[in-house]
Amino acid sequence: MIPESVNKVRIGVLASGSGSNFGVIAQQAQAPNYPGEIVVLVCNQAQAQARERARHWGIPEHLIANRDYAHREDHDRAVVAALQQQRVELVVMAGWMRVATPVLLAAYPERILNIHPSLLPSFRGMHAVQQALNYGVKISGCTVHIVRLEVDSGPILAQAAIPVYPADTVTSLQQRIQIEEHRIYPEAIAQYIQDGYRVESVGSPTNGAIPATLDQQ
Ligand code: GAR
């Protein structure tokens, strides 16, 4: 961990639902030696519980509803504006159920992290837990990765694996995966900041349009 005197990286969280990951990150970021602070929550669903969590932690929140924008790029422009207004340096997707467009990626290249409820590169996209159960895998888990244009494909920062039991349902497996998400996501974010936003792995060779190692600006 870095000393208290060093400025904390300004984090913007994007969430669409419950926001349990957002909540644990917000809680851990209270620690004086956590290297980032959450300065804004952007939510795209009016009813999302994440918004209540923002109020609980005293974090400013912006509702940017999907329905107010005809095109995904326009929605992302509004998201970028909200993030830039708070001088966000690192974007953390925590259950953000939108695919990032080039608008968002260009504003924060190699500066957007995501958590996904599978062991990537298996079961990308929507309904990952259902996909894993349908396939019959015996091990599943979660992955923290850098966001790039191809969905759920950027360099992997952290993973946790758990067994899949014969009696598992989507709900039971999701719940055990989330326990691991809450453990690894705050730590992976801190590590990424402390490493100066660098990763050793370059992830999928098919989406290498953006260099994997950018110097921290
Ligand atoms: C998390 O399990 C996360 O892995 C998943 O949404 C959930 C959000 O939970 N994300 C995706 O499926 C992204 N493709 P939360 O709102 O309680 O943090």
Side-chain angles (χ1 to χ4, degrees), residues 80-108:
V80 168
L83 296 171
Q84 289 180 339
Q85 191 186 344
Q86 297 290 343
R87 292 179 286 113
V88 164
E89 299 164 286
L90 179 66
V91 180
V92 167
M93 291 180 169
W96 180 247
M97 297 307 177
R98 300 279 281 180
V99 174
T101 71
V103 170
L104 183 54
L105 292 164
Y108 289 96

mmCIF file of all heavy atoms in Angstrom, residues 80-108:
data_model
loop_
_atom_site.group_PDB
_atom_site.id
_atom_site.type_symbol
_atom_site.label_atom_id
_atom_site.label_comp_id
_atom_site.label_asym_id
_atom_site.label_seq_id
_atom_site.Cartn_x
_atom_site.Cartn_y
_atom_site.Cartn_z
ATOM 1 N N VAL A 80 -19.250 9.977 -20.271
ATOM 2 C CA VAL A 80 -17.899 10.573 -20.250
ATOM 3 C C VAL A 80 -17.963 11.983 -19.668
ATOM 4 O O VAL A 80 -17.116 12.372 -18.857
ATOM 5 C CB VAL A 80 -17.280 10.573 -21.665
ATOM 6 C CG1 VAL A 80 -16.027 11.450 -21.713
ATOM 7 C CG2 VAL A 80 -16.960 9.150 -22.104
ATOM 8 N N ALA A 81 -18.961 12.745 -20.053
ATOM 9 C CA ALA A 81 -19.087 14.118 -19.540
ATOM 10 C C ALA A 81 -19.239 14.113 -18.022
ATOM 11 O O ALA A 81 -18.615 14.925 -17.325
ATOM 12 C CB ALA A 81 -20.277 14.810 -20.200
ATOM 13 N N ALA A 82 -20.054 13.174 -17.513
ATOM 14 C CA ALA A 82 -20.250 13.094 -16.057
ATOM 15 C C ALA A 82 -18.950 12.697 -15.358
ATOM 16 O O ALA A 82 -18.626 13.212 -14.283
ATOM 17 C CB ALA A 82 -21.353 12.084 -15.739
ATOM 18 N N LEU A 83 -18.198 11.793 -15.965
ATOM 19 C CA LEU A 83 -16.928 11.356 -15.372
ATOM 20 C C LEU A 83 -15.907 12.485 -15.401
ATOM 21 O O LEU A 83 -15.212 12.748 -14.414
ATOM 22 C CB LEU A 83 -16.389 10.134 -16.132
ATOM 23 C CG LEU A 83 -17.240 8.861 -16.065
ATOM 24 C CD1 LEU A 83 -16.707 7.812 -17.040
ATOM 25 C CD2 LEU A 83 -17.267 8.287 -14.647
ATOM 26 N N GLN A 84 -15.845 13.170 -16.540
ATOM 27 C CA GLN A 84 -14.846 14.240 -16.676
ATOM 28 C C GLN A 84 -15.173 15.429 -15.778
ATOM 29 O O GLN A 84 -14.280 16.104 -15.279
ATOM 30 C CB GLN A 84 -14.734 14.659 -18.142
ATOM 31 C CG GLN A 84 -14.061 13.565 -18.976
ATOM 32 C CD GLN A 84 -13.909 13.909 -20.437
ATOM 33 O OE1 GLN A 84 -14.603 14.769 -20.959
ATOM 34 N NE2 GLN A 84 -13.008 13.210 -21.118
ATOM 35 N N GLN A 85 -16.457 15.624 -15.565
ATOM 36 C CA GLN A 85 -16.872 16.713 -14.666
ATOM 37 C C GLN A 85 -16.290 16.512 -13.261
ATOM 38 O O GLN A 85 -15.990 17.469 -12.554
ATOM 39 C CB GLN A 85 -18.398 16.736 -14.600
ATOM 40 C CG GLN A 85 -18.975 17.953 -13.926
ATOM 41 C CD GLN A 85 -20.490 17.831 -13.777
ATOM 42 O OE1 GLN A 85 -21.140 17.001 -14.405
ATOM 43 N NE2 GLN A 85 -21.051 18.651 -12.934
ATOM 44 N N GLN A 86 -16.146 15.245 -12.883
ATOM 45 C CA GLN A 86 -15.583 14.923 -11.557
ATOM 46 C C GLN A 86 -14.090 14.597 -11.652
ATOM 47 O O GLN A 86 -13.518 14.052 -10.706
ATOM 48 C CB GLN A 86 -16.333 13.732 -10.946
ATOM 49 C CG GLN A 86 -17.793 13.984 -10.668
ATOM 50 C CD GLN A 86 -18.018 14.962 -9.516
ATOM 51 O OE1 GLN A 86 -17.117 15.215 -8.737
ATOM 52 N NE2 GLN A 86 -19.212 15.527 -9.424
ATOM 53 N N ARG A 87 -13.494 14.891 -12.787
ATOM 54 C CA ARG A 87 -12.050 14.654 -13.012
ATOM 55 C C ARG A 87 -11.652 13.206 -12.681
ATOM 56 O O ARG A 87 -10.652 12.932 -12.027
ATOM 57 C CB ARG A 87 -11.211 15.644 -12.203
ATOM 58 C CG ARG A 87 -11.368 17.077 -12.722
ATOM 59 C CD ARG A 87 -10.582 18.087 -11.938
ATOM 60 N NE ARG A 87 -11.192 18.344 -10.640
ATOM 61 C CZ ARG A 87 -10.646 18.012 -9.461
ATOM 62 N NH1 ARG A 87 -9.475 17.457 -9.397
ATOM 63 N NH2 ARG A 87 -11.286 18.270 -8.340
ATOM 64 N N VAL A 88 -12.477 12.284 -13.166
ATOM 65 C CA VAL A 88 -12.209 10.857 -12.961
ATOM 66 C C VAL A 88 -10.980 10.437 -13.766
ATOM 67 O O VAL A 88 -10.814 10.828 -14.920
ATOM 68 C CB VAL A 88 -13.446 10.025 -13.378
ATOM 69 C CG1 VAL A 88 -13.097 8.552 -13.565
ATOM 70 C CG2 VAL A 88 -14.546 10.195 -12.347
ATOM 71 N N GLU A 89 -10.141 9.635 -13.118
ATOM 72 C CA GLU A 89 -8.923 9.125 -13.775
ATOM 73 C C GLU A 89 -9.035 7.642 -14.123
ATOM 74 O O GLU A 89 -8.380 7.170 -15.049
ATOM 75 C CB GLU A 89 -7.722 9.336 -12.845
ATOM 76 C CG GLU A 89 -7.476 10.790 -12.512
ATOM 77 C CD GLU A 89 -6.566 10.936 -11.318
ATOM 78 O OE1 GLU A 89 -7.020 10.680 -10.176
ATOM 79 O OE2 GLU A 89 -5.396 11.307 -11.520
ATOM 80 N N LEU A 90 -9.801 6.907 -13.336
ATOM 81 C CA LEU A 90 -9.936 5.460 -13.544
ATOM 82 C C LEU A 90 -11.417 5.102 -13.442
ATOM 83 O O LEU A 90 -12.090 5.510 -12.491
ATOM 84 C CB LEU A 90 -9.142 4.702 -12.485
ATOM 85 C CG LEU A 90 -9.201 3.172 -12.536
ATOM 86 C CD1 LEU A 90 -8.539 2.639 -13.814
ATOM 87 C CD2 LEU A 90 -8.513 2.574 -11.314
ATOM 88 N N VAL A 91 -11.905 4.345 -14.427
ATOM 89 C CA VAL A 91 -13.325 3.973 -14.467
ATOM 90 C C VAL A 91 -13.461 2.502 -14.051
ATOM 91 O O VAL A 91 -12.718 1.647 -14.547
ATOM 92 C CB VAL A 91 -13.898 4.168 -15.887
ATOM 93 C CG1 VAL A 91 -15.382 3.786 -15.935
ATOM 94 C CG2 VAL A 91 -13.712 5.617 -16.340
ATOM 95 N N VAL A 92 -14.391 2.239 -13.149
ATOM 96 C CA VAL A 92 -14.614 0.881 -12.654
ATOM 97 C C VAL A 92 -16.050 0.489 -12.971
ATOM 98 O O VAL A 92 -16.994 1.092 -12.458
ATOM 99 C CB VAL A 92 -14.350 0.818 -11.137
ATOM 100 C CG1 VAL A 92 -14.865 -0.487 -10.547
ATOM 101 C CG2 VAL A 92 -12.860 0.985 -10.849
ATOM 102 N N MET A 93 -16.205 -0.508 -13.837
ATOM 103 C CA MET A 93 -17.537 -1.041 -14.131
ATOM 104 C C MET A 93 -17.876 -2.089 -13.082
ATOM 105 O O MET A 93 -17.105 -3.037 -12.872
ATOM 106 C CB MET A 93 -17.555 -1.677 -15.521
ATOM 107 C CG MET A 93 -17.413 -0.673 -16.645
ATOM 108 S SD MET A 93 -17.436 -1.525 -18.241
ATOM 109 C CE MET A 93 -17.592 -0.122 -19.343
ATOM 110 N N ALA A 94 -19.006 -1.925 -12.431
ATOM 111 C CA ALA A 94 -19.413 -2.850 -11.379
ATOM 112 C C ALA A 94 -20.863 -3.254 -11.639
ATOM 113 O O ALA A 94 -21.791 -2.637 -11.136
ATOM 114 C CB ALA A 94 -19.261 -2.192 -10.010
ATOM 115 N N GLY A 95 -21.028 -4.265 -12.516
ATOM 116 C CA GLY A 95 -22.376 -4.630 -12.922
ATOM 117 C C GLY A 95 -22.969 -3.608 -13.870
ATOM 118 O O GLY A 95 -24.156 -3.301 -13.797
ATOM 119 N N TRP A 96 -22.145 -3.069 -14.764
ATOM 120 C CA TRP A 96 -22.590 -2.094 -15.780
ATOM 121 C C TRP A 96 -23.014 -2.891 -17.003
ATOM 122 O O TRP A 96 -22.173 -3.473 -17.680
ATOM 123 C CB TRP A 96 -21.441 -1.158 -16.131
ATOM 124 C CG TRP A 96 -21.693 -0.083 -17.152
ATOM 125 C CD1 TRP A 96 -21.120 -0.016 -18.394
ATOM 126 C CD2 TRP A 96 -22.515 1.081 -17.033
ATOM 127 N NE1 TRP A 96 -21.538 1.121 -19.046
ATOM 128 C CE2 TRP A 96 -22.399 1.817 -18.232
ATOM 129 C CE3 TRP A 96 -23.354 1.580 -16.030
ATOM 130 C CZ2 TRP A 96 -23.077 3.017 -18.455
ATOM 131 C CZ3 TRP A 96 -24.019 2.777 -16.250
ATOM 132 C CH2 TRP A 96 -23.876 3.475 -17.451
ATOM 133 N N MET A 97 -24.316 -2.967 -17.230
ATOM 134 C CA MET A 97 -24.831 -3.860 -18.260
ATOM 135 C C MET A 97 -24.941 -3.156 -19.609
ATOM 136 O O MET A 97 -25.989 -3.157 -20.253
ATOM 137 C CB MET A 97 -26.179 -4.436 -17.819
ATOM 138 C CG MET A 97 -26.073 -5.289 -16.578
ATOM 139 S SD MET A 97 -24.815 -6.584 -16.737
ATOM 140 C CE MET A 97 -24.869 -7.329 -15.115
ATOM 141 N N ARG A 98 -23.849 -2.540 -20.009
ATOM 142 C CA ARG A 98 -23.749 -1.872 -21.304
ATOM 143 C C ARG A 98 -22.396 -2.222 -21.903
ATOM 144 O O ARG A 98 -21.393 -2.271 -21.182
ATOM 145 C CB ARG A 98 -23.789 -0.349 -21.147
ATOM 146 C CG ARG A 98 -25.024 0.194 -20.524
ATOM 147 C CD ARG A 98 -26.171 0.315 -21.485
ATOM 148 N NE ARG A 98 -26.060 1.489 -22.338
ATOM 149 C CZ ARG A 98 -26.953 1.803 -23.259
ATOM 150 N NH1 ARG A 98 -28.001 1.022 -23.461
ATOM 151 N NH2 ARG A 98 -26.819 2.882 -23.989
ATOM 152 N N VAL A 99 -22.383 -2.415 -23.206
ATOM 153 C CA VAL A 99 -21.114 -2.637 -23.901
ATOM 154 C C VAL A 99 -20.482 -1.279 -24.166
ATOM 155 O O VAL A 99 -21.141 -0.365 -24.675
ATOM 156 C CB VAL A 99 -21.353 -3.398 -25.222
ATOM 157 C CG1 VAL A 99 -20.060 -3.512 -26.018
ATOM 158 C CG2 VAL A 99 -21.935 -4.778 -24.925
ATOM 159 N N ALA A 100 -19.216 -1.133 -23.807
ATOM 160 C CA ALA A 100 -18.533 0.155 -23.992
ATOM 161 C C ALA A 100 -18.348 0.436 -25.478
ATOM 162 O O ALA A 100 -17.901 -0.428 -26.234
ATOM 163 C CB ALA A 100 -17.177 0.124 -23.295
ATOM 164 N N THR A 101 -18.703 1.651 -25.882
ATOM 165 C CA THR A 101 -18.481 2.054 -27.276
ATOM 166 C C THR A 101 -17.089 2.688 -27.386
ATOM 167 O O THR A 101 -16.466 3.038 -26.372
ATOM 168 C CB THR A 101 -19.529 3.088 -27.729
ATOM 169 O OG1 THR A 101 -19.256 4.328 -27.059
ATOM 170 C CG2 THR A 101 -20.944 2.618 -27.449
ATOM 171 N N PRO A 102 -16.627 2.924 -28.617
ATOM 172 C CA PRO A 102 -15.337 3.607 -28.788
ATOM 173 C C PRO A 102 -15.297 4.990 -28.138
ATOM 174 O O PRO A 102 -14.216 5.475 -27.796
ATOM 175 C CB PRO A 102 -15.202 3.695 -30.314
ATOM 176 C CG PRO A 102 -15.989 2.528 -30.827
ATOM 177 C CD PRO A 102 -17.160 2.410 -29.895
ATOM 178 N N VAL A 103 -16.450 5.603 -27.951
ATOM 179 C CA VAL A 103 -16.491 6.922 -27.303
ATOM 180 C C VAL A 103 -15.930 6.834 -25.884
ATOM 181 O O VAL A 103 -15.072 7.637 -25.469
ATOM 182 C CB VAL A 103 -17.942 7.459 -27.268
ATOM 183 C CG1 VAL A 103 -18.052 8.697 -26.399
ATOM 184 C CG2 VAL A 103 -18.449 7.732 -28.680
ATOM 185 N N LEU A 104 -16.397 5.847 -25.129
ATOM 186 C CA LEU A 104 -15.934 5.674 -23.743
ATOM 187 C C LEU A 104 -14.487 5.182 -23.715
ATOM 188 O O LEU A 104 -13.663 5.661 -22.931
ATOM 189 C CB LEU A 104 -16.865 4.679 -23.032
ATOM 190 C CG LEU A 104 -16.610 4.394 -21.559
ATOM 191 C CD1 LEU A 104 -16.578 5.665 -20.719
ATOM 192 C CD2 LEU A 104 -17.676 3.444 -21.020
ATOM 193 N N LEU A 105 -14.183 4.245 -24.602
ATOM 194 C CA LEU A 105 -12.826 3.677 -24.623
ATOM 195 C C LEU A 105 -11.790 4.725 -24.990
ATOM 196 O O LEU A 105 -10.674 4.722 -24.463
ATOM 197 C CB LEU A 105 -12.776 2.498 -25.602
ATOM 198 C CG LEU A 105 -13.594 1.285 -25.145
ATOM 199 C CD1 LEU A 105 -13.834 0.331 -26.310
ATOM 200 C CD2 LEU A 105 -12.885 0.566 -24.015
ATOM 201 N N ALA A 106 -12.142 5.635 -25.900
ATOM 202 C CA ALA A 106 -11.189 6.665 -26.318
ATOM 203 C C ALA A 106 -10.957 7.688 -25.211
ATOM 204 O O ALA A 106 -9.858 8.233 -25.077
ATOM 205 C CB ALA A 106 -11.706 7.369 -27.573
ATOM 206 N N ALA A 107 -11.983 7.918 -24.404
ATOM 207 C CA ALA A 107 -11.838 8.886 -23.309
ATOM 208 C C ALA A 107 -10.980 8.321 -22.177
ATOM 209 O O ALA A 107 -10.279 9.066 -21.492
ATOM 210 C CB ALA A 107 -13.211 9.289 -22.786
ATOM 211 N N TYR A 108 -11.040 6.997 -21.994
ATOM 212 C CA TYR A 108 -10.306 6.341 -20.905
ATOM 213 C C TYR A 108 -9.571 5.089 -21.401
ATOM 214 O O TYR A 108 -9.839 3.984 -20.949
ATOM 215 C CB TYR A 108 -11.260 5.990 -19.759
ATOM 216 C CG TYR A 108 -11.733 7.207 -19.005
ATOM 217 C CD1 TYR A 108 -12.945 7.813 -19.317
ATOM 218 C CD2 TYR A 108 -10.940 7.786 -18.016
ATOM 219 C CE1 TYR A 108 -13.366 8.963 -18.645
ATOM 220 C CE2 TYR A 108 -11.349 8.931 -17.351
ATOM 221 C CZ TYR A 108 -12.559 9.509 -17.658
ATOM 222 O OH TYR A 108 -12.954 10.640 -16.992
#
